[in-house]
Amino acid sequence: MSVLAAIAVLAVLILVHELGHFVAARSQGILVNRFSLGFGPVLLKYQGSQTEYAVRAFPLGGFVGFPDDDPDSDVPPNDPNLLRNRPILDRAIVISAGVIANLIFAYLVLVLQLGIVGIPKELNYKAGVVVQPVNQESVAYQAGIREGDIILAVNGQELPASDKSTPLLTKEIQTHPNQQIELKIQRENQQQSIKLTPKEGADGKGVVGVALSPNATAIYRRPNSPFEIFGLAANRFQQLFVGTLSGFGQLITNFQQTAGQVSGPVNIVKIGAKLAEDNTVNLLSFGAIISINLAIINILPLPALDGGQLAFLLIEGLRGGKPVPARIQEGVMQTGLVLLLGLGIFLIVKETTQLTSQLEWVQKLFQ
């Protein structure tokens, strides 16, 4: 059920994205002939006065179709309500509306979570540091450390029940590149000693390839007013947005070390399922984070994404309203689509056989 819940969250986020495009188009009187949630065979469909609405077999996708792209459409090619015949600003609004919808939705989800769960007041600390999901190729995994382990001591030094335990352990790891360290860990009700040697990172500091979080549970209080919820949700949204941008920045500037941490649909669903198992309300945090990620990914100026279409509009504007030739646009978009599908298939295959591979920087956002 937790897996189905995670898939349902992703389907909702895609629906929100496509609804953004749809509402932006219809509100401007632009013709829309198809609205589909999912891809593959049609399970259900309804023909409205102008638009065909459909639910397809595979929920992790969707699209809004315009008569411009439909060779069977009987709309005259010079109809002013075709998307391609609208001014650049109108088209830009339609193309960017999906991204805007995902960002607004992420903020509202955070507002809902704070309203349901309450405001974090303090943390109830226990001794040690909790290990987050571990990459199978990391030093930590090879040494025997697994997700959920609690590290109680490092080199004979006990990790206290406070906010100082995580920085203390991190410092010991970073200051011992290529030097063996000893960890005392607790797994369920058993304790054991593990020795490992942090490898030297690009900055000269030791790394073991694992995300850490305090061994603590949050204590919540009721909000004082709705304004407090909106303000804290805005701060949380900003943190998630900036953190996501930082993650993409690291992928670009430090590709060799971060490329292996990129996750696809299988891992994303696995992360959501695990959060749902721990606490159903965690799905709200999961939904907000993935919604922000979906928005940022789609606005990147890459072929087959919203950002790629906006890039063509920018070029058209710089050319004095003269669009890029259709054959060039189609060639670029088709190439980009093939590359994205290839990457998606690669990630699905990789993660199906290696489900413990996780996205460290996403996991840290849940701490």
Side-chain angles (χ1 to χ4, degrees):
M1 291 301 295
S2 59
V3 172
L4 293 177
I7 292 175
V9 169
L10 295 179
V12 168
L13 298 182
I14 294 168
L15 176 62
V16 167
H17 183 89
E18 300 305 332
L19 274 175
H21 294 306
F22 179 78
V23 171
R26 290 292 293 267
S27 64
Q28 298 182 88
I30 296 172
L31 297 175
V32 180
N33 64 346
R34 286 190 176 88
F35 182 91
S36 177
L37 175 62
F39 60 94
V42 175
L43 299 179
L44 298 170
K45 69 176 180 179
Y46 167 74
Q47 180 62 55
S49 58
Q50 179 191 127
T51 306
E52 178 190 273
Y53 303 90
V55 176
R56 297 174 182 264
F58 305 104
L60 302 182
F63 64 89
V64 174
F66 299 92
D68 313 49
D69 308 317
D70 187 354
D72 298 326
S73 172
D74 56 1
V75 179
N78 60 348
D79 191 307
N81 290 325
L82 286 176
L83 180 63
R84 65 169 176 250
N85 295 334
R86 286 302 185 95
I88 291 178
L89 180 59
D90 290 356
R91 286 179 279 159
I93 291 172
V94 173
I95 293 170
S96 60
V99 169
I100 295 171
N102 278 128
L103 293 176
I104 294 174
F105 184 77
Y107 172 72
L108 294 178
V109 166
L110 293 173
V111 169
L112 179 63
Q113 183 183 34
L114 290 172
I116 294 175
V117 179
I119 310 297
K121 182 174 66 172
E122 59 181 306
L123 291 175
N124 181 23
Y125 288 96
K126 299 178 183 178
V129 173
V130 178
V131 175
Q132 297 296 323
V134 190
N135 191 305
Q136 286 187 355
E137 299 175 358
S138 67
V139 172
Y141 187 91
Q142 298 299 325
I145 295 178
R146 298 293 182 266
E147 175 186 353
D149 287 349
I150 300 174
I151 301 176
L152 299 174
V154 54
N155 289 334
Q157 182 178 3
E158 300 290 330
L159 298 177
S162 73
D163 59 352
K164 297 181 174 58
S165 57
T166 304
L168 193 157
L169 176 57
T170 301
K171 182 179 179 181
E172 282 295 303
I173 293 172
Q174 292 180 342
T175 56
H176 288 81
N178 301 320
Q179 301 176 48
Q180 188 179 81
I181 62 175
E182 183 176 359
L183 304 176
K184 182 172 73 173
I185 71 167
Q186 177 177 315
R187 183 175 300 161
E188 296 179 350
N189 296 323
Q190 297 182 344
Q191 294 185 8
Q192 58 180 296
S193 178
I194 289 180
K195 295 180 180 180
L196 55 80
T197 302
K199 67 178 181 180
E200 186 173 351
D203 56 359
K205 297 179 180 179
V207 293
V208 296
V210 63
L212 305 169
S213 65
N215 186 16
T217 54
I219 299 176
Y220 297 89
R221 63 172 175 82
R222 301 311 303 167
N224 295 323
S225 69
F227 297 104
E228 183 181 22
I229 294 177
F230 292 130
L232 290 175
N235 291 335
R236 180 62 171 157
F237 176 87
Q238 181 182 15
Q239 293 172 2
L240 294 175
F241 187 81
V242 172
T244 304
L245 284 178
S246 176
F248 280 103
Q250 291 177 23
L251 184 61
I252 295 172
T253 59
N254 194 13
F255 182 81
Q256 186 174 359
Q257 292 192 7
T258 57
Q261 299 174 353
V262 175
S263 287
V266 174
N267 257 350
I268 293 174
V269 170
K270 181 173 181 284
I271 293 171
K274 184 178 186 307
L275 291 169
E277 286 179 359
D278 295 339
N279 187 339
T280 305
V281 179
N282 285 339
L283 282 174
L284 295 174
S285 289
F286 173 72
I289 290 174
I290 301 302
S291 192
I292 291 173
N293 273 266
L294 186 61
I296 292 176
I297 289 173
N298 268 281
I299 205 62
L300 294 176
L302 299 175
L305 298 179
D306 295 340
Q309 297 182 58
L310 288 173
F312 280 125
L313 285 184
L314 177 61
I315 295 172
E316 181 179 335
L318 295 175
R319 285 161 53 94
K322 184 179 179 181
V324 177
R327 58 182 180 82
I328 296 179
Q329 292 194 44
E330 290 174 2
V332 172
M333 289 297 179
Q334 288 175 1
T335 302
L337 182 60
V338 170
L339 291 175
L340 288 175
L341 287 174
L343 176 61
I345 293 171
F346 168 76
L347 288 173
I348 289 172
V349 173
K350 170 178 174 283
E351 293 167 355
T352 301
T353 58
Q354 190 180 1
L355 286 174
T356 55
S357 177
Q358 298 293 335
L359 191 57
E360 263 181 36
W361 58 272
V362 169
Q363 289 297 311
K364 290 179 181 177
L365 293 176
F366 292 101
Q367 296 177 10

